[in-house]
């Protein structure tokens, strides 16, 4: 924990020293020019005794004072340059932390496969093999398994009856296998109605409430055996699961992990299937419209979200969208496409935060130049001591935001701390310092808005200029 306090301070000092080292030659030249100007002025303003007069001493002192102010401003700007790497390190530490006070499960994407509906009918298949005499010896020693490469696996799914016969045909033996199994014929859903509600969670996670109704129809004049299979999404945790067919609840999945119903549908009979569950996922959510290329007579999906979402390339195009609700209404559709949405990354928020702290040195530079220009234009009198204190107060607010953003949140820190620092300028530079300070202090916070940062900064500049234009200096600021 101590490192979180020391790192920003050390980085700030390193930034200030690095900037001073890089600007050492220009600074030395500037100081030399200022000193030369002061010497020339003092030389030309000697008193009658040939000594430097009081005015010359005042100019010399003020000149050196303003040189000190410039050095202070350069050092503060360099120190504020350490805010960006300090916050970047803090964000990486939080991202890689093994424990957190607000855990968000690293859930997988949610993919809901389409259920299948099919009719079943018994069909018998016959396979005949003519076996030579030498093959009979293998059959006697190894058993019927020697014929497995040529026959259907008797343990295969849907096998109802199996009969094997042997008969002589000269020296050969004729082997016949009759296999009766349930043959599945894909049947269309009469209607599919799905309602999904997504609630966003931190770091691209979301909670989903899924409700679906499927209508099974036997459009034949005779009863049929039918099978309905519902596969669950491959997700981390599924809660409040309810699967029922015609009012009968399916409580346990099969060995394959899906929920299955087998029964009889009478002539022109309909059965309603209801499915509901809650699941938590991350990054993306998708749902198949139909199983493989099976037809769906009427398909309806309603998706409600509390945050804007993006659609994956190749996703089925929505038919309507209003606010946070998207709708898909299709009739007699055969498609292998999915309804697939992607939860946008919250990297934009992290990037905005980093840009805000990266803008602090520029904000301080704008404050320094703006305050000097505004005080020359509208007052109060520009005094090196008060000007330096104003710079220090403004910088203190900026540095406080770097440390406190971890505790009170980045938005509160980037707004409250610099504003408090600029309020201190009111005692040092009057209402002029307050106006320039508030406008400059809120510029870093503007970068928290990814879409409107430019217009926010423009508004701040316009308001500051308008405030200075109508400002009438008080007696204390004369």
């Amino acid at each position: 924990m101590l490192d979180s306090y020391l790192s920003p301070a050390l980085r700030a000092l390193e930034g200030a020293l690095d900037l001073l080292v890089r600007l050492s030659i220009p600074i030395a030249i500037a100081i030399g020019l200022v000193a030369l100007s002061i010497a020339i002025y003092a030389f030309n303003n000697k008193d009658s005794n040939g000594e430097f007069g009081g005015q010359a001493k005042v100019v010399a002192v003020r000149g050196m004072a303003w040189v000190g102010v410039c050095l202070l401003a350069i050092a503060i700007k360099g120190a504020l340059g350490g805010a960006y790497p300090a916050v970047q390190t803090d964000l990486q530490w939080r991202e890689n932390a093994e424990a957190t006070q607000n855990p968000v499960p690293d859930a997988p994407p949610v993919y809901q496969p389409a259920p299948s509906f099919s009719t079943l009918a018994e069909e018998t298949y016959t396979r005949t093999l003519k076996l030579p005499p030498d093959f009979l010896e293998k059959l006697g020693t190894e058993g019927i398994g020697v014929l497995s490469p040529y026959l259907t696996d008797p343990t295969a799914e849907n096998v109802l009856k199996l009969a094997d016969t042997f008969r002589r045909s000269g020296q050969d033996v004729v082997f016949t296998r009759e296999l009766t199994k349930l043959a599945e014929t894909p049947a269309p859903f009469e209607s599919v109605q799905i309602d999904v509600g997504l609630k966003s969670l931190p770091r691209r996670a979301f909670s989903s409430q899924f409700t679906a109704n499927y209508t099974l129809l036997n459009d034949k004049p005779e009863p049929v055996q039918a099978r309905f299979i519902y596969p669950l999404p491959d997700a981390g945790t599924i809660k409040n699961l309810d699967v029922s067919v015609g009012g009968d609840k399916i409580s346990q999945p099969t060995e394959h992990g899906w929920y299955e119903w087998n029964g009889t549908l009478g002539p022109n009979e309909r059965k309603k299937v209801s499915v509901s569950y809650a699941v938590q996922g991350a990054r993306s959510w998708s749902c198949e419209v139909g199983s493989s290329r099976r037809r769906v007579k009427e398909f309806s999906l309603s998706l409600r979200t509390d945050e804007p979402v993006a659609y994956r390339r190749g996703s089925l195009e929505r038919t309507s969208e209003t606010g946070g609700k998207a709708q898909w209404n299709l009739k007699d559709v055969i498609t292998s496409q999915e309804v697939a949405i992607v939860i946008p990354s919250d990297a934009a928020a992290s990037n905005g935060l980093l840009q805000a702290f990266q803008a602090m040195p520029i904000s301080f530079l704008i404050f320094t130049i703006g305050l000097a220009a505004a005080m020359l234009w509208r007052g109060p009198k520009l005094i090196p001591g008060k000007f330096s204190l104003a710079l220090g107060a403004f910088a203190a607010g900026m540095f406080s935001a770097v440390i406190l953003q971890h505790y009170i949140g980045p938005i509160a820190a980037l707004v409250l701390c610099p504003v408090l620092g600029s309020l201190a300028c009111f005692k040092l530079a009057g209402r002029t310092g307050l106006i320039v300070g508030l406008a400059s202090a809120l510029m870093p916070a503007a970068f928290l808005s990814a879409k409107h940062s430019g217009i926010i900064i423009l508004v701040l500049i316009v308001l500051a200029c308008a405030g200075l234009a109508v400002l009438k200096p008080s007696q204390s600021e004369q």
Side-chain angles (χ1 to χ4, degrees):
M1 181 61 69
L2 184 61
D3 183 65
S4 63
Y5 293 99
L6 292 178
S7 293
L10 292 175
R11 290 182 183 275
L13 291 175
E14 291 174 0
L17 291 174
D18 180 65
L19 185 61
L20 287 174
V21 169
R22 287 189 285 112
L23 296 178
S24 58
I25 295 178
I27 290 174
I29 294 174
I31 292 175
L33 291 174
V34 171
L36 180 61
S37 300
I38 293 173
I40 294 174
Y41 178 84
F43 183 79
N44 292 327
N45 290 272
K46 290 181 181 180
D47 59 15
S48 58
N49 297 324
E51 297 180 356
F52 295 111
Q55 185 65 27
K57 290 180 181 179
V58 171
V59 171
V61 171
R62 286 185 178 179
M64 296 308 298
W66 281 112
V67 170
V69 171
C70 292
L71 290 175
L72 175 65
I74 293 173
I76 292 176
K77 181 180 179 299
L80 286 173
Y84 173 78
V87 175
Q88 187 179 40
T89 302
D90 183 59
L91 288 175
Q92 291 175 351
W93 179 82
R94 292 189 213 177
E95 185 72 25
N96 299 327
E98 184 177 352
T100 176
Q101 293 181 346
N102 300 303
V104 177
D106 188 15
V110 175
Y111 168 67
Q112 175 59 68
S116 63
F117 171 49
S118 56
T119 58
L120 306 175
E122 291 188 10
E123 293 187 2
T124 300
Y125 302 89
T126 302
R127 182 71 184 272
T128 301
L129 298 175
K130 192 173 184 180
L131 307 177
D134 58 340
F135 205 87
L136 293 178
E137 297 180 4
K138 292 183 179 180
L139 187 63
T141 56
E142 301 180 22
I144 196 68
V146 74
L147 300 176
S148 58
Y150 312 100
L151 301 173
T152 302
D153 183 6
T155 63
E157 191 177 359
N158 295 336
V159 173
L160 301 177
K161 185 171 62 175
L162 182 69
D164 295 333
T165 59
F166 295 87
R167 63 181 178 83
R168 281 279 183 181
S169 178
Q171 294 184 346
D172 300 330
V173 173
V174 178
F175 171 79
T176 302
R177 166 168 287 183
E178 289 188 354
L179 183 144
T180 303
K181 64 180 298 186
L182 281 177
E184 290 191 60
T185 303
F189 291 106
E190 184 179 37
S191 68
V192 175
Q193 295 178 333
I194 299 175
D195 183 83
V196 183
L198 296 183
K199 183 179 180 181
S200 60
L201 300 173
R203 300 189 182 183
R204 302 187 68 187
F206 60 86
S207 60
S208 169
Q209 181 63 47
F210 181 91
T211 303
N213 293 310
Y214 304 89
T215 303
L216 314 180
L217 171 65
N218 173 25
D219 55 1
K220 297 179 180 178
E222 66 274 355
V224 295
Q225 289 293 114
R227 172 181 290 169
F228 173 81
I229 295 176
Y230 194 87
L232 292 177
D234 184 14
T237 302
I238 296 176
K239 299 181 294 184
N240 305 325
L241 175 65
D242 184 85
V243 181
S244 60
V245 180
D248 297 328
K249 186 173 182 178
I250 306 174
S251 57
Q252 295 296 328
T254 65
E255 60 181 3
H256 302 287
W258 58 57
Y259 285 74
E260 182 176 323
W261 172 83
N262 290 278
T264 302
L265 288 176
N268 300 314
E269 182 184 3
R270 290 177 173 83
K271 272 192 182 296
K272 182 180 179 181
V273 181
S274 299
V275 180
S276 64
Y277 61 82
V279 65
Q280 196 166 40
R283 295 180 290 282
S284 66
W285 179 91
S286 56
C287 177
E288 281 188 331
V289 173
S291 179
S292 299
R293 301 292 294 182
R294 297 174 183 175
R295 183 166 61 94
V296 178
K297 291 184 177 180
E298 186 175 344
F299 178 85
S300 173
L301 190 150
S302 177
L303 176 67
R304 293 168 285 105
T305 61
D306 62 344
E307 293 287 347
V309 297
Y311 294 90
R312 185 186 297 162
R313 287 187 178 182
S315 174
L316 193 66
E317 186 175 1
R318 56 199 180 278
T319 54
S320 65
E321 185 170 12
T322 304
K325 183 177 180 180
Q327 194 80 23
W328 287 261
N329 295 310
L330 307 169
K331 291 184 180 295
D332 289 323
V333 58
I334 301 176
T335 179
S336 59
Q337 287 182 280
E338 306 167 357
V339 175
I341 67 170
V342 177
I343 308 300
S345 173
D346 56 0
S350 298
N351 292 337
L353 178 61
L354 290 174
Q355 288 179 0
F357 283 98
Q358 195 173 21
M360 279 188 171
I362 304 300
S363 175
F364 174 77
L365 186 60
I366 292 174
F367 171 75
T368 303
I369 298 174
L371 181 60
M375 291 177 72
L376 289 173
W377 175 32
R378 307 297 296 176
K381 187 177 180 181
L382 195 60
I383 301 174
K386 287 189 175 182
F387 191 80
S388 299
L389 291 175
L391 296 184
F394 186 85
M398 292 288 188
F399 284 120
S400 300
V402 178
I403 298 175
L404 295 181
Q405 59 91 21
H406 184 76
Y407 301 96
I408 64 176
I411 296 178
L414 282 168
V415 173
L416 183 62
C417 295
V419 167
L420 290 177
S422 63
L423 288 175
C425 298
F426 178 71
K427 290 291 185 180
L428 301 166
R431 291 174 293 173
T432 300
L434 180 62
I435 293 173
V436 177
L438 287 175
S440 304
L442 293 174
M443 284 184 180
F447 288 94
L448 295 176
S449 174
K451 296 182 179 179
H452 308 294
S453 56
I455 191 66
I456 293 174
I457 292 175
L458 180 61
V459 169
L460 290 174
I461 294 174
V462 171
L463 291 177
C465 292
L468 291 172
V470 299
L471 180 64
K472 293 182 179 180
S474 63
Q475 290 294 330
S476 61
E477 296 177 350
Q478 292 292 331

